[in-house]
């Protein structure tokens, strides 16, 4: 029987269409006891098998695809999948690289099959609404020139074709606008109240995770830094593959005890676009961005893939293991075997 509180990773060779041959335990998931029994007698009763699926809130669907009239229109902007075990305790949001598609990340979520984790794969053309009915910035993300697709923010000068300097006002303003945009979406995905509520259709911030590649990784980490600056509750975590924040600003001492979102940076030793030195700088800036009562918080960690790993998406068992271990350390998992059982004592 599968251990109830552990994530597992496949040890198969990963060929398309092959089922996993064996599974290996890689890390624990924090257990969440959620008693859900209402009885007036001193009893123990068998818990029925329950599902805790969450539908995307209707206003979030409209926010992601404001002009969609049919299902295919919505699928071109985002793809949502329930957890394979029908218990959507956590939510993993995928952010693709520049000019890429969200569909392959939707498939990746299915292959990872993280227990009790729904997935939301976003396309950078989502949230493109020129009406701005409620006054918030809803003009989408960044359309690339010459029909090359979409990205999350501007990384190059379209007149010269050269990469923008990371300290330029154009780069910084574009990335900060994208981080604000994504953070607005995360606010809409957040359920109301302190505890998880299956009927709310949302998640508390600590159960929302980000996964990004390249430009998507940069946006994921920058959004986490943005939440620190706005003194918002941290997310559950962010997994950044071949990318990370470049413009994290220092924040004054955190007297309110706001925690930072845990971040994992996975970088290839031979990556020339986002080098190991870039990852170390990003992690250092992020860790220096918040102090709790004068104590530095170190929550950004780096996993360097040795060998010939260049600027490509996660494609080795080593990288998958690092990601799954990070999920195991930070994701919450409901202890279903304990739900539906209660014991009431006389006079209690």
């Amino acid at each position: 029987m599968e251990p109830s509180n552990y994530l597992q990773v496949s040890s198969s060779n990963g060929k398309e269409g092959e089922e996993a041959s064996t599974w290996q335990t890689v890390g624990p998931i924090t257990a969440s006891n959620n008693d859900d029994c209402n009885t007036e007698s001193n009893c123990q009763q068998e818990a029925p098998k329950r599902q805790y699926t969450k539908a995307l809130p209707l206003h979030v669907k409209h926010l992601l695809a404001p002009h969609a009239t049919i299902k295919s229109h919505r699928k071109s902007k985002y793809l949502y999948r329930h957890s394979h075990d029908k218990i959507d305790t956590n939510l993993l949001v995928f952010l693709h690289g520049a000019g890429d598609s969200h569909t392959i990340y939707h498939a990746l979520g299915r292959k990872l099959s993280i227990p009790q984790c729904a997935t939301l794969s976003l396309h950078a053309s989502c949230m493109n609404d020129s009406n701005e009915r409620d006054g918030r910035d809803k003009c989408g993300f960044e359309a690339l020139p010459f029909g090359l697709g979409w990205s999350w923010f501007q990384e190059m000068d379209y007149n010269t074709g050269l990469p923008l300097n990371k300290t330029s006002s154009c780069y910084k303003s574009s990335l900060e606008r994208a981080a604000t945009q994504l953070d607005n979406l995360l606010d809409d995905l957040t359920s109301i109240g302190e505890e998880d509520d299956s009927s709310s259709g949302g998640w508390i911030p600590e159960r929302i995770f980000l996964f990004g590649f390249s430009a998507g990784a940069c946006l994921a980490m920058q959004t986490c830094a943005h939440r620190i600056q706005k003194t918002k509750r941290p997310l559950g975590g962010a997994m950044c593959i071949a990318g990370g924040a470049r413009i994290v600003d220092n924040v004054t001492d955190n007297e309110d005890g706001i925690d930072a979102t845990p971040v994992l940076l996975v970088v290839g030793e031979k990556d020339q676009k986002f080098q190991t030195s870039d990852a170390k700088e990003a992690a250092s800036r992020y860790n220096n961005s918040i102090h709790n009562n004068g104590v530095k918080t170190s929550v950004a960690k780096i996993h360097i893939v040795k060998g010939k790993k260049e600027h490509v998406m996660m494609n080795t068992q080593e990288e998958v293991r690092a990601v799954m271990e990070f999920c195991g350390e930070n994701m919450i998992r409901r202890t279903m075997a304990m739900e539906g059982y209660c014991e009431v004592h006389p006079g209690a």
Side-chain angles (χ1 to χ4, degrees):
M1 180 178 294
E2 177 183 339
S4 60
N5 290 326
Y6 281 76
L7 277 175
Q8 298 181 321
V9 59
S10 170
S11 62
S12 67
N13 58 17
K15 292 182 179 180
E16 186 69 21
E18 276 195 15
E19 294 294 331
S21 56
T22 61
W23 294 84
Q24 300 174 358
T25 298
V26 298
I29 306 178
T30 305
S32 173
N33 291 329
N34 188 345
D35 292 332
D36 189 24
C37 178
N38 182 17
T39 180
E40 298 179 355
S41 62
N42 183 17
C43 67
Q44 278 193 334
Q45 60 184 28
E46 184 177 354
K49 186 175 181 180
R50 303 182 62 179
Q51 296 182 353
Y52 293 90
T53 58
K54 293 175 180 282
L56 279 183
L58 186 59
H59 70 279
V60 172
K61 294 181 179 181
H62 290 324
L63 177 63
L64 291 171
H67 302 299
T69 56
I70 57 177
K71 191 173 183 179
S72 61
H73 292 167
R74 291 194 297 273
K75 286 185 174 182
S76 68
K77 306 298 182 184
Y78 70 90
L79 290 166
Y80 176 71
R81 182 191 299 276
H82 292 296
S83 176
H84 68 93
D85 51 19
K86 306 303 180 184
I87 308 171
D88 299 336
T89 305
N90 306 282
L91 176 67
L92 180 58
V93 180
F94 286 105
L95 305 169
H96 62 73
D100 207 346
S101 169
H102 61 313
T103 56
I104 58 175
Y105 295 85
H106 184 62
L108 173 63
R110 178 182 58 81
K111 289 184 178 180
L112 290 176
S113 294
I114 300 174
Q116 300 191 13
C117 185
T119 62
L120 176 62
S121 304
L122 301 180
H123 192 271
S125 64
C126 68
M127 302 176 71
N128 191 358
D129 185 0
S130 59
N131 296 327
E132 299 185 13
R133 289 183 292 272
D134 62 2
R136 294 199 311 182
D137 185 7
K138 286 186 176 180
C139 55
F141 292 94
E142 185 74 16
L144 298 176
F146 312 116
L148 295 176
W150 287 76
S151 187
W152 305 103
F153 56 93
Q154 186 175 349
E155 296 184 87
M156 69 169 57
D157 186 329
Y158 297 142
N159 294 320
T160 64
L162 297 175
L164 289 173
N165 189 299
K166 301 305 181 289
T167 61
S168 70
S169 58
C170 181
Y171 180 92
K172 294 177 69 174
S173 62
S174 178
L175 179 53
E176 184 57 31
R177 184 184 70 83
T180 301
Q181 184 90 332
L182 179 58
D183 193 35
N184 288 340
L185 173 63
L186 296 176
D187 287 343
D188 283 303
L189 285 168
T190 301
S191 58
I192 299 174
E194 294 298 318
E195 299 299 330
D196 183 38
D197 180 5
S198 297
S199 64
S200 70
W203 293 261
I204 60 175
E206 291 84 354
R207 298 188 186 181
I208 298 177
F209 293 76
L210 303 177
F211 182 108
F213 167 67
S214 192
C218 181
L219 176 58
M221 191 171 183
Q222 190 65 39
T223 302
C224 296
H226 177 85
R227 292 182 69 87
I228 295 174
Q229 294 162 5
K230 299 299 181 181
T231 64
K232 292 185 175 182
R233 288 169 60 179
L235 303 176
M239 291 151 275
C240 304
I241 312 299
R246 303 291 187 98
I247 59 171
V248 178
D249 295 322
N250 289 332
V251 180
T252 57
D253 194 57
N254 175 27
E255 297 178 356
D256 296 328
I258 299 297
D259 293 324
T261 301
V263 173
L264 172 67
L265 295 114
V266 180
V267 58
E269 190 175 37
K270 300 299 183 181
D271 192 334
Q272 296 301 311
K273 185 174 181 180
F274 188 77
Q275 301 179 4
T276 55
S277 59
D278 296 324
K280 292 176 181 178
E281 181 182 1
S284 177
R285 284 179 174 272
Y286 187 80
N287 288 333
N288 288 332
S289 67
I290 185 168
H291 290 185
N292 283 325
N293 299 319
V295 179
K296 186 187 300 184
T297 302
S298 298
V299 292
K301 300 179 181 180
I302 305 173
H303 182 90
I304 298 176
V305 183
K306 303 292 185 178
K308 299 180 180 180
K309 176 72 176 181
E310 298 181 346
H311 194 77
V312 294
M313 180 51 180
M314 179 175 72
N315 59 5
T316 66
Q317 186 178 12
E318 177 186 350
E319 295 168 277
V320 173
R321 180 175 294 277
V323 166
M324 296 294 270
E325 286 179 346
F326 180 82
C327 292
E329 293 170 359
N330 295 284
M331 283 190 176
I332 295 293
R333 186 173 181 183
R334 303 177 76 125
T335 309
M336 302 302 296
M338 298 297 295
E339 298 195 13
Y341 287 87
C342 66
E343 186 172 352
V344 180
H345 298 279

